[in-house]
Coordinates of all heavy atoms in Angstrom, one line a residue:
V1255 N 65.7 162.4 50.2 CA 66.2 161.2 49.6 C 66.2 160.0 50.6 O 66.7 160.3 51.7 CB 67.8 161.5 49.1 CG1 68.4 160.3 48.6 CG2 67.7 162.7 48.2
A1256 N 65.8 158.9 50.1 CA 65.6 157.7 51.1 C 67.0 157.3 51.4 O 68.0 157.4 50.6 CB 64.9 156.6 50.3
K1257 N 67.1 156.6 52.5 CA 68.4 156.0 53.1 C 68.9 155.0 52.1 O 70.1 155.0 51.8 CB 68.2 155.5 54.5 CG 69.5 155.2 55.1 CD 69.2 154.8 56.5 CE 70.6 154.6 57.3 NZ 70.3 154.4 58.8
N1258 N 68.1 154.3 51.5 CA 68.5 153.1 50.6 C 69.1 153.8 49.3 O 70.1 153.3 48.8 CB 67.3 152.3 50.1 CG 67.6 151.0 49.4 OD1 68.8 150.5 49.6 ND2 66.8 150.5 48.6
D1259 N 68.5 155.0 48.9 CA 69.1 155.6 47.7 C 70.5 156.1 48.0 O 71.3 156.1 47.1 CB 68.1 156.7 47.3 CG 66.8 156.3 46.7 OD1 66.8 155.1 46.2 OD2 65.8 157.0 46.7
L1260 N 70.7 156.7 49.1 CA 72.0 157.2 49.5 C 72.9 156.1 49.6 O 74.1 156.2 49.2 CB 71.9 157.9 50.9 CG 71.2 159.1 51.0 CD1 71.1 159.7 52.3 CD2 71.8 160.2 50.1
L1261 N 72.6 154.9 50.0 CA 73.5 153.7 50.0 C 73.9 153.4 48.6 O 75.1 153.1 48.3 CB 72.9 152.5 50.8 CG 73.7 151.3 50.8 CD1 75.1 151.6 51.5 CD2 73.0 150.2 51.5
K1262 N 73.0 153.4 47.6 CA 73.2 153.1 46.2 C 74.3 154.1 45.6 O 75.1 153.8 45.0 CB 72.0 153.1 45.5 CG 71.2 152.0 45.6 CD 69.8 151.9 44.8 CE 68.9 150.9 45.2 NZ 67.5 151.0 44.4
I1263 N 74.0 155.4 46.0 CA 75.0 156.4 45.6 C 76.2 156.2 46.0 O 77.3 156.4 45.4 CB 74.4 157.8 46.0 CG1 73.1 158.1 45.3 CG2 75.4 158.9 45.8 CD1 72.4 159.3 45.9
K1264 N 76.4 155.9 47.4 CA 77.7 155.7 48.0 C 78.5 154.6 47.3 O 79.7 154.7 47.0 CB 77.5 155.4 49.5 CG 78.8 155.1 50.3 CD 78.5 154.7 51.6 CE 79.8 154.4 52.4 NZ 79.6 154.0 53.8
V1265 N 77.8 153.4 47.0 CA 78.4 152.3 46.3 C 78.9 152.7 45.0 O 80.0 152.4 44.5 CB 77.4 151.0 46.2 CG1 78.0 150.0 45.4 CG2 77.3 150.6 47.7
H1266 N 78.0 153.5 44.2 CA 78.3 153.9 42.8 C 79.5 154.9 42.9 O 80.4 154.7 42.0 CB 77.0 154.6 42.3 CG 77.3 155.1 40.9 ND1 77.2 154.3 39.7 CD2 77.5 156.4 40.4 CE1 77.5 155.0 38.7 NE2 77.7 156.2 39.0
V1267 N 79.6 155.7 43.8 CA 80.7 156.6 43.8 C 82.0 156.0 44.2 O 83.0 156.2 43.5 CB 80.4 157.7 44.8 CG1 81.6 158.7 45.2 CG2 79.2 158.7 44.4
M1268 N 81.9 155.1 45.2 CA 83.2 154.3 45.5 C 83.7 153.6 44.3 O 84.9 153.3 44.2 CB 82.9 153.5 46.7 CG 82.7 154.3 48.0 SD 82.9 153.4 49.5 CE 84.6 153.0 49.5
E1269 N 82.8 153.1 43.4 CA 83.2 152.2 42.3 C 83.9 153.1 41.3 O 84.7 152.5 40.5 CB 82.1 151.4 41.8 CG 81.7 150.3 42.7 CD 80.4 149.7 42.3 OE1 79.8 150.1 41.3 OE2 80.0 148.6 42.8
H1270 N 83.4 154.2 41.0 CA 83.8 155.1 39.8 C 84.8 156.2 40.1 O 85.2 156.7 39.2 CB 82.6 155.6 39.2 CG 81.7 154.5 38.6 ND1 80.7 153.9 39.3 CD2 81.8 153.9 37.5 CE1 80.2 152.9 38.6 NE2 80.8 152.9 37.5
L1271 N 85.0 156.6 41.3 CA 86.0 157.8 41.7 C 87.3 157.2 42.1 O 87.3 156.1 42.8 CB 85.4 158.6 42.7 CG 84.3 159.6 42.3 CD1 83.8 160.4 43.6 CD2 84.7 160.5 41.3
P1272 N 88.4 157.9 41.7 CA 89.7 157.4 42.2 C 89.7 157.5 43.7 O 89.0 158.4 44.3 CB 90.6 158.5 41.7 CG 90.0 159.1 40.6 CD 88.4 159.0 40.8
K1273 N 90.4 156.7 44.4 CA 90.4 156.5 45.9 C 90.7 157.9 46.5 O 90.1 158.4 47.6 CB 91.4 155.5 46.4 CG 90.9 154.1 46.1 CD 91.8 153.1 46.7 CE 91.3 151.7 46.2 NZ 92.2 150.6 46.7
S1274 N 91.6 158.7 45.9 CA 91.9 160.0 46.5 C 90.8 161.0 46.5 O 90.7 161.9 47.3 CB 93.2 160.6 45.8 OG 92.9 160.8 44.4
S1275 N 89.8 160.8 45.5 CA 88.7 161.7 45.4 C 87.6 161.4 46.3 O 86.7 162.2 46.5 CB 88.2 161.8 43.9 OG 89.3 162.2 43.0
V1276 N 87.5 160.0 46.7 CA 86.4 159.6 47.5 C 86.2 160.3 48.8 O 85.0 160.8 49.1 CB 86.5 158.1 47.7 CG1 85.4 157.7 48.7 CG2 86.3 157.3 46.5
L1277 N 87.3 160.6 49.4 CA 87.2 161.4 50.8 C 86.7 162.7 50.5 O 85.9 163.2 51.2 CB 88.6 161.3 51.5 CG 88.6 162.1 52.8 CD1 87.5 161.5 53.8 CD2 89.9 162.1 53.4
L1278 N 87.3 163.4 49.5 CA 86.9 164.8 49.2 C 85.4 164.9 48.8 O 84.7 165.7 49.2 CB 87.6 165.3 48.2 CG 89.2 165.7 48.5 CD1 89.9 166.1 47.3 CD2 89.3 166.7 49.5
F1279 N 85.0 163.9 48.1 CA 83.5 163.7 47.6 C 82.7 163.7 48.9 O 81.6 164.4 49.0 CB 83.3 162.6 46.6 CG 81.8 162.4 46.4 CD1 81.2 163.3 45.6 CD2 81.2 161.3 47.1 CE1 79.8 163.0 45.5 CE2 79.8 161.1 46.9 CZ 79.2 162.0 46.0
Y1280 N 82.9 162.7 49.8 CA 82.1 162.6 51.0 C 82.1 163.8 51.8 O 81.0 164.2 52.2 CB 82.6 161.5 51.9 CG 82.2 160.1 51.3 CD1 83.2 159.2 51.0 CD2 80.9 159.9 51.1 CE1 82.8 157.9 50.4 CE2 80.5 158.6 50.6 CZ 81.5 157.6 50.3 OH 81.1 156.4 49.8
I1281 N 83.2 164.5 52.0 CA 83.2 165.8 52.7 C 82.2 166.8 52.0 O 81.3 167.4 52.7 CB 84.6 166.3 52.9 CG1 85.3 165.4 53.9 CG2 84.5 167.7 53.5 CD1 86.8 165.7 53.9
W1282 N 82.5 166.9 50.8 CA 81.6 167.9 49.9 C 80.2 167.5 49.9 O 79.3 168.3 50.2 CB 82.2 167.9 48.6 CG 81.6 169.0 47.7 CD1 81.7 170.3 47.8 CD2 80.9 168.7 46.5 NE1 81.1 170.9 46.7 CE2 80.5 170.0 46.0 CE3 80.6 167.6 45.8 CZ2 79.8 170.1 44.7 CZ3 79.8 167.7 44.6 CH2 79.5 168.9 44.2
R1283 N 79.9 166.2 49.6 CA 78.5 165.7 49.5 C 77.9 165.9 50.8 O 76.7 166.2 50.9 CB 78.7 164.2 49.1 CG 77.2 163.5 49.3 CD 76.4 164.0 48.1 NE 75.0 163.4 48.2 CZ 74.1 163.5 49.1 NH1 74.2 164.5 49.9 NH2 73.0 162.8 49.0
K1284 N 78.5 165.7 52.0 CA 77.8 165.8 53.3 C 77.4 167.2 53.5 O 76.3 167.5 54.0 CB 78.8 165.3 54.3 CG 78.1 165.2 55.7 CD 78.8 164.2 56.5 CE 78.1 164.0 57.9 NZ 77.2 163.0 58.1
C1285 N 78.2 168.2 53.1 CA 77.8 169.6 53.3 C 76.9 170.1 52.3 O 76.1 171.0 52.6 CB 79.1 170.3 53.3 SG 80.3 170.1 54.5
M1286 N 76.9 169.7 51.0 CA 76.2 170.3 50.0 C 74.9 169.6 49.4 O 74.2 170.2 48.7 CB 77.1 170.6 48.9 CG 78.3 171.4 49.2 SD 77.9 172.9 49.9 CE 77.4 173.8 48.5
N1287 N 74.7 168.3 49.8 CA 73.6 167.5 49.2 C 73.5 167.6 47.6 O 72.6 168.0 47.0 CB 72.3 168.2 49.7 CG 72.0 167.7 51.2 OD1 72.4 166.7 51.6 ND2 71.3 168.5 51.9
F1288 N 74.6 167.0 47.0 CA 74.7 166.8 45.7 C 74.5 165.3 45.4 O 74.9 164.4 46.1 CB 76.0 167.3 45.2 CG 76.0 168.8 44.9 CD1 75.9 169.6 46.0 CD2 76.0 169.4 43.7 CE1 76.0 171.0 45.9 CE2 75.9 170.7 43.6 CZ 76.0 171.5 44.6
V1289 N 74.2 165.0 44.1 CA 74.1 163.6 43.6 C 74.9 163.5 42.3 O 74.9 164.6 41.5 CB 72.7 163.1 43.5 CG1 72.0 162.9 44.8 CG2 71.9 163.9 42.4
P1290 N 75.3 162.5 41.8 CA 76.0 162.3 40.6 C 75.0 162.5 39.4 O 73.8 162.2 39.6 CB 76.7 160.8 40.6 CG 76.5 160.3 42.0 CD 75.4 161.2 42.7
S1291 N 75.6 162.9 38.3 CA 74.7 162.9 37.1 C 73.9 161.7 36.7 O 72.8 161.7 36.3 CB 75.4 163.5 35.9 OG 76.5 162.5 35.6
S1292 N 74.5 160.5 37.1 CA 73.8 159.2 36.7 C 72.5 159.1 37.4 O 71.5 158.6 36.9 CB 74.8 158.1 37.1 OG 75.1 158.1 38.4
V1293 N 72.5 159.6 38.6 CA 71.2 159.5 39.5 C 70.1 160.4 38.9 O 69.0 160.0 38.7 CB 71.5 160.0 41.0 CG1 70.2 160.1 41.7 CG2 72.5 159.0 41.6
K1294 N 70.5 161.6 38.4 CA 69.6 162.5 37.8 C 69.1 162.0 36.4 O 68.1 162.2 36.1 CB 70.0 164.0 37.7 CG 70.1 164.7 39.1 CD 68.7 164.9 39.5 CE 68.6 165.6 40.9 NZ 67.2 165.8 41.3
A1295 N 70.1 161.4 35.7 CA 69.7 160.9 34.4 C 68.6 159.8 34.5 O 67.7 159.9 33.8 CB 71.0 160.3 33.7
E1296 N 68.7 158.9 35.6 CA 67.7 157.9 35.7 C 66.4 158.6 36.2 O 65.3 158.3 35.7 CB 68.2 156.9 36.8 CG 67.3 155.8 37.0 CD 67.9 154.8 37.9 OE1 69.1 154.5 37.9 OE2 67.2 154.2 38.7
E1297 N 66.5 159.5 37.0 CA 65.3 160.2 37.6 C 64.6 161.0 36.5 O 63.3 161.0 36.4 CB 65.7 161.3 38.7 CG 64.7 161.9 39.2 CD 65.1 163.1 40.3 OE1 65.9 162.7 41.0 OE2 64.6 164.2 40.3
W1298 N 65.2 161.6 35.5 CA 64.7 162.5 34.5 C 64.4 161.6 33.2 O 63.8 162.0 32.3 CB 65.7 163.5 34.2 CG 65.8 164.6 35.2 CD1 65.1 164.8 36.2 CD2 66.9 165.7 35.2 NE1 65.5 165.8 37.0 CE2 66.6 166.3 36.4 CE3 67.9 165.9 34.4 CZ2 67.4 167.4 36.8 CZ3 68.7 167.0 34.8 CH2 68.5 167.8 35.9
G1299 N 64.8 160.4 33.1 CA 64.5 159.4 32.1 C 65.3 159.9 30.8 O 64.8 159.8 29.7
I1300 N 66.6 160.5 31.0 CA 67.4 160.7 29.8 C 68.8 160.1 30.0 O 69.1 159.6 31.2 CB 67.5 162.3 29.6 CG1 68.1 163.0 30.9 CG2 66.1 162.9 29.2 CD1 68.2 164.4 30.9
S1301 N 69.7 160.2 29.1 CA 71.1 159.7 29.2 C 71.9 160.5 30.1 O 71.7 161.7 30.2 CB 71.6 159.5 27.8 OG 72.0 160.6 27.3
Q1302 N 72.9 159.8 30.7 CA 74.0 160.6 31.4 C 74.6 161.6 30.5 O 75.0 162.7 31.0 CB 75.0 159.5 32.0 CG 75.3 159.7 33.4 CD 76.2 158.7 33.8 OE1 76.1 157.6 33.6 NE2 77.2 159.2 34.7
R1303 N 74.9 161.3 29.3 CA 75.5 162.3 28.4 C 74.7 163.5 28.1 O 75.2 164.6 28.2 CB 75.7 161.5 27.0 CG 76.4 162.4 26.0 CD 77.9 162.8 26.3 NE 78.3 163.6 25.4 CZ 78.9 164.9 25.7 NH1 79.2 165.2 26.9 NH2 79.3 165.7 24.7
R1304 N 73.3 163.3 28.1 CA 72.5 164.4 27.9 C 72.4 165.3 29.1 O 72.4 166.5 29.0 CB 71.0 164.0 27.6 CG 70.0 165.1 27.3 CD 70.4 165.8 26.0 NE 69.6 167.1 25.9 CZ 70.0 168.2 25.4 NH1 71.2 168.3 25.1 NH2 69.2 169.2 25.4
V1305 N 72.6 164.7 30.3 CA 72.7 165.5 31.6 C 73.9 166.3 31.6 O 73.9 167.5 31.9 CB 72.6 164.6 32.9 CG1 72.8 165.4 34.1 CG2 71.2 163.8 33.0
A1306 N 75.0 165.6 31.1 CA 76.3 166.4 31.0 C 76.2 167.6 30.0 O 76.7 168.7 30.4 CB 77.4 165.5 30.7
I1307 N 75.6 167.4 29.0 CA 75.4 168.4 28.0 C 74.6 169.7 28.6 O 75.0 170.8 28.5 CB 74.8 168.0 26.7 CG1 75.7 167.0 26.0 CG2 74.3 169.1 25.8 CD1 75.1 166.4 24.9
L1308 N 73.5 169.3 29.3 CA 72.6 170.3 30.1 C 73.5 171.1 31.0 O 73.4 172.3 31.2 CB 71.5 169.7 30.6 CG 70.4 169.1 29.6 CD1 69.3 168.3 30.4 CD2 69.8 170.1 28.9
C1309 N 74.3 170.4 31.8 CA 75.1 171.0 32.8 C 76.2 171.9 32.1 O 76.3 173.1 32.5 CB 75.8 170.0 33.7 SG 74.7 169.0 34.6
K1310 N 76.8 171.4 31.1 CA 77.8 172.2 30.3 C 77.3 173.4 29.7 O 78.0 174.5 29.8 CB 78.6 171.4 29.3 CG 79.7 172.0 28.7 CD 80.4 171.1 27.7 CE 81.5 171.8 27.1 NZ 82.3 170.9 26.0
E1311 N 76.0 173.4 29.3 CA 75.4 174.6 28.7 C 74.9 175.6 29.9 O 74.3 176.6 29.5 CB 74.2 174.2 27.9 CG 74.5 173.5 26.6 CD 73.4 172.9 26.0 OE1 72.2 172.8 26.4 OE2 73.6 172.4 24.7
G1312 N 75.0 175.2 31.1 CA 74.6 176.1 32.2 C 73.1 176.0 32.5 O 72.6 176.9 33.0
R1313 N 72.4 175.0 32.0 CA 70.9 174.9 32.0 C 70.5 174.3 33.4 O 69.3 174.2 33.7 CB 70.4 174.2 30.9 CG 70.7 175.1 29.6 CD 70.1 174.5 28.3 NE 68.8 174.1 28.5 CZ 68.2 173.2 27.6 NH1 68.8 172.7 26.7 NH2 66.9 172.9 27.8
V1314 N 71.4 173.7 34.1 CA 71.1 173.1 35.4 C 71.7 173.9 36.6 O 72.9 173.9 36.8 CB 71.6 171.6 35.5 CG1 71.2 171.0 36.9 CG2 71.0 170.8 34.4
P1315 N 70.9 174.8 37.2 CA 71.5 175.7 38.3 C 72.2 174.8 39.3 O 71.6 173.8 39.8 CB 70.3 176.5 38.7 CG 69.3 176.4 37.7 CD 69.5 175.1 37.0
G1316 N 73.4 175.3 39.7 CA 74.0 174.5 40.9 C 74.9 173.3 40.5 O 75.5 172.8 41.4
A1317 N 74.9 173.0 39.2 CA 75.6 171.8 38.9 C 77.1 172.1 38.9 O 77.5 173.2 38.6 CB 75.3 171.4 37.4
E1318 N 77.9 171.2 39.4 CA 79.4 171.3 39.5 C 80.1 170.1 38.9 O 79.7 169.1 39.1 CB 79.7 171.3 41.1 CG 79.2 172.4 41.8 CD 79.9 173.7 41.7 OE1 81.0 173.7 41.1 OE2 79.2 174.8 41.8
L1319 N 81.2 170.5 38.2 CA 82.0 169.6 37.6 C 83.2 169.2 38.5 O 84.0 170.1 38.8 CB 82.6 170.1 36.2 CG 83.5 169.1 35.4 CD1 82.7 167.9 35.0 CD2 84.0 169.8 34.2
I1320 N 83.4 168.0 39.0 CA 84.5 167.6 39.8 C 85.3 166.5 39.0 O 84.6 165.4 38.7 CB 84.0 167.1 41.1 CG1 83.2 168.1 41.8 CG2 85.1 166.5 41.9 CD1 82.7 167.8 43.2
G1321 N 86.4 166.8 38.6 CA 87.2 166.0 37.8 C 86.5 165.8 36.4 O 86.4 166.9 35.7
N1322 N 86.0 164.7 36.0 CA 85.3 164.6 34.9 C 83.8 164.1 35.1 O 83.1 163.7 34.2 CB 85.9 163.7 33.9 CG 85.9 162.2 34.5 OD1 85.7 162.0 35.7 ND2 86.3 161.2 33.7
R1323 N 83.3 164.4 36.3 CA 82.0 164.0 36.6 C 81.1 165.2 37.1 O 81.6 166.1 37.8 CB 82.0 162.9 37.7 CG 82.8 161.8 37.6 CD 82.0 160.5 37.1 NE 80.7 160.5 37.6 CZ 80.1 159.5 38.2 NH1 80.7 158.4 38.4 NH2 78.9 159.5 38.5
W1324 N 79.9 165.2 36.6 CA 79.0 166.3 37.1 C 78.3 165.8 38.2 O 77.8 164.7 38.4 CB 78.0 166.7 35.9 CG 78.7 167.4 34.8 CD1 79.1 167.0 33.7 CD2 78.8 168.8 34.8 NE1 79.6 168.0 32.9 CE2 79.4 169.2 33.6 CE3 78.5 169.8 35.7 CZ2 79.8 170.5 33.3 CZ3 78.9 171.1 35.4 CH2 79.4 171.5 34.1
F1325 N 78.0 166.9 39.2 CA 77.3 166.6 40.4 C 76.2 167.6 40.5 O 76.5 168.9 40.3 CB 78.1 166.6 41.7 CG 79.0 165.4 41.8 CD1 80.2 165.3 41.1 CD2 78.6 164.2 42.4 CE1 81.1 164.3 41.2 CE2 79.5 163.2 42.4 CZ 80.8 163.2 41.9
L1326 N 75.0 167.2 40.7 CA 73.9 168.2 40.7 C 73.2 168.2 42.0 O 73.2 167.2 42.8 CB 72.8 167.7 39.7 CG 73.1 167.7 38.3 CD1 74.1 166.6 37.8 CD2 72.0 167.8 37.3
P1327 N 72.6 169.4 42.4 CA 71.9 169.5 43.7 C 70.7 168.5 43.7 O 70.1 168.1 42.7 CB 71.2 170.8 43.7 CG 72.1 171.6 42.7 CD 72.5 170.7 41.7
V1328 N 70.4 167.9 44.9 CA 69.4 166.9 45.0 C 68.0 167.4 44.5 O 67.3 166.7 43.9 CB 69.3 166.5 46.6 CG1 68.1 165.6 46.7 CG2 70.6 165.8 47.0
D1329 N 67.8 168.7 44.7 CA 66.5 169.2 44.3 C 66.5 169.8 42.9 O 65.5 170.5 42.5 CB 66.1 170.3 45.3 CG 67.1 171.4 45.4 OD1 68.2 171.3 44.9 OD2 66.6 172.4 46.2
A1330 N 67.6 169.5 42.0 CA 67.6 170.1 40.8 C 66.4 169.6 39.9 O 66.1 168.4 40.0 CB 68.9 169.8 40.1
M1331 N 65.9 170.5 39.1 CA 64.7 170.1 38.2 C 65.2 170.0 36.8 O 66.2 170.7 36.4 CB 63.6 171.2 38.2 CG 63.1 171.5 39.6 SD 62.2 169.9 40.4 CE 60.8 169.9 39.3
K1332 N 64.6 169.1 36.0 CA 65.0 168.9 34.7 C 64.6 170.2 33.9 O 63.5 170.7 33.9 CB 64.2 167.8 34.0 CG 64.5 167.4 32.6 CD 63.8 166.4 32.1 CE 64.1 166.0 30.7 NZ 63.3 164.9 30.2
P1333 N 65.7 170.7 33.1 CA 65.3 172.0 32.4 C 64.3 171.8 31.3 O 64.2 170.7 30.7 CB 66.6 172.3 31.7 CG 67.7 171.5 32.3 CD 66.9 170.3 33.0
E1334 N 63.5 172.8 31.0 CA 62.6 172.7 29.9 C 63.3 172.6 28.6 O 64.3 173.1 28.4 CB 61.6 173.9 29.9 CG 60.8 174.1 31.1 CD 59.8 173.0 31.2 OE1 59.1 172.7 30.1 OE2 59.3 172.6 32.3
D1335 N 62.5 171.9 27.6 CA 63.1 171.8 26.3 C 62.8 173.0 25.5 O 61.6 173.3 25.3 CB 62.5 170.5 25.6 CG 63.2 170.2 24.2 OD1 63.8 171.1 23.7 OD2 63.0 169.0 23.8
P1336 N 63.8 173.9 25.1 CA 63.4 175.1 24.4 C 62.6 174.9 23.1 O 62.1 175.8 22.4 CB 64.7 175.7 24.2 CG 65.7 174.7 24.2 CD 65.0 173.6 25.1
R1337 N 62.8 173.7 22.5 CA 62.2 173.4 21.2 C 60.6 173.3 21.2 O 59.9 173.5 20.3 CB 62.7 172.1 20.6 CG 64.2 172.1 20.3 CD 64.7 170.8 19.9 NE 64.5 169.9 21.1 CZ 64.8 168.5 21.0 NH1 65.3 168.1 19.9 NH2 64.7 167.8 21.9
K1338 N 60.2 172.9 22.5 CA 58.7 172.8 22.6 C 58.1 174.2 22.7 O 58.5 175.0 23.4 CB 58.4 171.9 23.9 CG 58.9 170.6 23.8 CD 58.5 169.8 24.9 CE 58.9 168.3 24.9 NZ 58.5 167.6 25.9
A1339 N 57.0 174.4 22.0 CA 56.3 175.6 22.1 C 55.7 176.0 23.3 O 55.1 175.1 24.0 CB 55.3 175.6 21.0
S1340 N 55.8 177.1 23.8 CA 55.1 177.5 25.1 C 53.6 177.8 24.8 O 53.4 178.3 23.8 CB 55.7 178.8 25.7 OG 57.0 178.7 25.9
E1341 N 52.8 177.4 25.8 CA 51.3 177.5 25.6 C 50.9 178.8 26.3 O 51.4 179.3 27.2 CB 50.6 176.3 26.1 CG 51.0 175.0 25.3 CD 50.2 173.9 25.9 OE1 49.2 174.1 26.7 OE2 50.6 172.8 25.5

């Protein structure tokens, strides 16, 4: 992950998490290499809501719910769409 991307994540997190959660998030994030669902939504080209649904269904390994926000591993891959026929 590029340093510039980490700065964007930091700004995004500080704007959207309660102040008491920010410190806990930084400690956890520093140890675990997770990103908010909004980052993966943009990377995967789908909505944040769809990422949350995939996480809730258990289709994103390693995803964690903290408060009301999903955090995914940096290296998480977009799950395959089960509706598409396998070749």
Side-chain angles (χ1 to χ4, degrees):
V1255 178
K1257 191 172 188 175
N1258 191 27
D1259 292 336
L1260 291 176
L1261 180 60
K1262 288 178 186 177
I1263 293 168
K1264 180 179 177 182
V1265 170
H1266 180 76
V1267 167
M1268 291 195 66
E1269 291 173 350
H1270 293 91
L1271 284 177
K1273 289 181 182 177
S1274 61
S1275 299
V1276 172
L1277 179 59
L1278 291 174
F1279 171 76
Y1280 280 120
I1281 293 168
W1282 185 65
R1283 169 66 178 86
K1284 187 150 181 98
C1285 296
M1286 302 301 289
N1287 286 330
F1288 280 71
V1289 294
S1291 59
S1292 58
V1293 172
K1294 285 297 180 180
E1296 187 175 320
E1297 180 183 318
W1298 293 346
I1300 58 177
S1301 71
Q1302 227 178 312
R1303 177 68 183 132
R1304 184 69 187 137
V1305 173
I1307 290 168
L1308 292 171
C1309 293
K1310 187 175 181 179
E1311 291 175 347
R1313 294 178 54 200
V1314 182
E1318 295 285 336
L1319 183 62
I1320 298 181
N1322 64 349
R1323 305 263 328 229
W1324 283 98
F1325 291 88
L1326 292 78
V1328 172
D1329 58 352
M1331 302 297 291
K1332 182 179 177 182
E1334 294 291 322
D1335 189 342
R1337 298 173 298 176
K1338 293 185 179 179
S1340 299
E1341 294 180 19

